[in-house]
Amino acid sequence: FERRGRVTDIHTVRGIYEIWDKLEVILQKVPELDFVRCHNSYIVYFPAVSEMRKDCFIMNNGMEVMISRSYAKKVKTAFMEWALTQM
């Protein structure tokens, strides 16, 4: 999910869809284990991540999603918890 102004883009394998919901509202509707907010403008779906770096996620489609410093610790913890469920 990417927030741009008053619109939120949902990036999927089938395309990009626009909705008006804020990221806070979206986080309440999606599974907590699979999604994490990593920036004021982004929510990431862990199964779509191919690599996690210190300051960004590399998605399966090659897109880079920034991880802000204020979310970094929470993101790292959430990613490790998710990764452990995948073993």
Side-chain angles (χ1 to χ4, degrees):
F1 298 90
E2 177 183 10
R3 187 77 175 167
R4 294 179 305 107
R6 294 182 177 200
V7 175
T8 300
D9 290 339
I10 304 171
H11 295 261
T12 71
V13 293
R14 295 194 173 129
I16 299 173
Y17 303 92
E18 289 185 353
I19 60 173
W20 292 94
D21 291 351
K22 294 181 179 182
L23 294 181
E24 299 84 29
V25 173
I26 294 168
L27 274 176
Q28 294 172 1
K29 297 178 181 179
V30 296
E32 189 176 320
L33 183 63
D34 291 335
F35 291 86
V36 71
R37 187 164 187 177
C38 60
H39 189 277
N40 281 340
S41 300
Y42 300 107
I43 295 174
V44 167
Y45 179 55
F46 287 135
V49 172
S50 65
E51 181 181 348
M52 180 181 168
R53 296 183 180 165
K54 181 180 178 182
D55 61 346
C56 70
F57 285 109
I58 307 299
M59 307 306 289
N60 291 337
N61 65 2
M63 182 179 170
E64 288 187 17
V65 178
M66 301 308 299
I67 301 170
S68 68
R69 283 184 278 160
S70 60
Y71 288 95
K73 186 174 182 177
K74 179 183 177 189
V75 167
K76 183 177 180 180
T77 302
F79 188 71
M80 296 308 266
E81 288 175 5
W82 174 82
L84 287 172
T85 66
Q86 303 305 303
M87 296 180 158

